[in-house]
């Protein structure tokens, strides 16, 4: 039977292999019932997709394999503490637990500094570096009102 360290070593191996093959230094695996059901490597530059982080890639594969967006009952092992986007994806997919090896300071030390995003989240939208402006809320709220009243919606 595999142990936590075995799963983490697999995530680390994916990250090392990915660097050797031109990708970023990040890897992840998702485990259910003591079995790896999905693997992910950082493919941002290889796919020109800024969301193709290892954790997101693994979540996509696990959801497809299990046929559900709800990954409760699963855990993720990732070679580095998740960035804000990946952390959000992990929460939205309802994974039970996160295990990580390198931390966000280790990532910052090699040029992957996400602290500015955490700092931005604390600011009012009008004070953020990326300008944002609300438009047509009274028109857009109709979809929310419809959703709220929808009897047969699938909650997520």
């Amino acid at each position: 039977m595999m142990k936590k360290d075995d799963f983490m070593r697999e995530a680390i191996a994916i990250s090392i292999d990915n660097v050797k093959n031109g990708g970023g230094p990040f890897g992840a695996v998702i485990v259910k019932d003591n079995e790896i059901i999905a693997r992910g490597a950082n493919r941002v530059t290889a796919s020109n997709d800024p969301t193709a982080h290892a954790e997101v890639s693994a979540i996509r594969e696990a959801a497809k394999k299990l046929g559900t967006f709800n990954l409760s009952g699963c855990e993720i092992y990732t070679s580095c503490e998740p960035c804000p986007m990946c952390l959000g994806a992990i929460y939205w997919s309802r994974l039970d637990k996160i295990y990580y090896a390198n931390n966000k300071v280790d990532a910052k030390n090699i040029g992957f500094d996400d602290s500015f995003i955490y700092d931005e989240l604390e600011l009012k939208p009008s004070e953020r570096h990326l300008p944002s402006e609300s438009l047509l809320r009274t028109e857009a709220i109709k979809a929310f009102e419809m959703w709220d009243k929808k009897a047969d919606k699938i909650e997520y």
Side-chain angles (χ1 to χ4, degrees), residues 63-144:
K64 184 176 182 181
K65 182 174 184 176
L66 297 176
T68 181
F69 58 84
N70 185 337
L71 299 180
S72 56
C74 299
E75 299 175 330
I76 190 165
Y77 292 76
T78 179
S79 64
C80 187
E81 184 175 1
C83 74
M85 177 186 68
C86 292
L87 187 60
I90 289 166
Y91 274 98
W92 281 116
S93 64
R94 295 180 179 85
L95 288 160
D96 290 353
K97 189 164 185 178
I98 305 167
Y99 297 94
Y100 62 90
N102 296 315
N103 63 39
K104 60 186 175 184
V105 174
D106 299 325
K108 179 180 179 177
N109 289 339
I110 62 163
F112 294 94
D113 185 6
D114 297 320
S115 60
F116 75 97
I117 297 172
Y118 289 108
D119 294 343
E120 288 283 297
L121 291 172
E122 296 298 318
L123 299 174
K124 295 177 188 173
S126 62
E127 297 173 358
R128 295 178 184 161
H129 287 85
L130 181 62
S132 60
E133 179 180 343
S134 178
L135 293 173
L136 303 176
R137 182 178 173 273
T138 56
E139 292 178 31
I141 201 73
K142 291 175 186 170
F144 281 15

Side-chain angles (χ1 to χ4, degrees), residues 4-39:
K4 292 177 187 177
D5 288 355
D6 299 320
F7 297 130
M8 185 58 74
R9 284 189 182 98
E10 179 65 16
I12 293 167
I14 291 168
S15 71
I16 291 169
D17 187 56
N18 204 45
V19 171
K20 290 178 183 176
N21 290 300
F26 305 96
V29 298
I30 293 180
V31 174
K32 181 176 178 69
D33 299 328
N34 205 48
E35 177 186 336
I36 295 174
I37 62 163
R39 291 171 170 79

Side-chain angles (χ1 to χ4, degrees), residues 15 17-26 41-54 57 60 85 111-112:
S15 71
D17 187 56
N18 204 45
V19 171
K20 290 178 183 176
N21 290 300
F26 305 96
N42 181 288
R43 305 303 296 156
V44 170
T45 57
S47 64
N48 291 316
D49 178 354
T51 68
H53 289 202
S57 298
R60 289 174 179 160
M85 177 186 68
F112 294 94

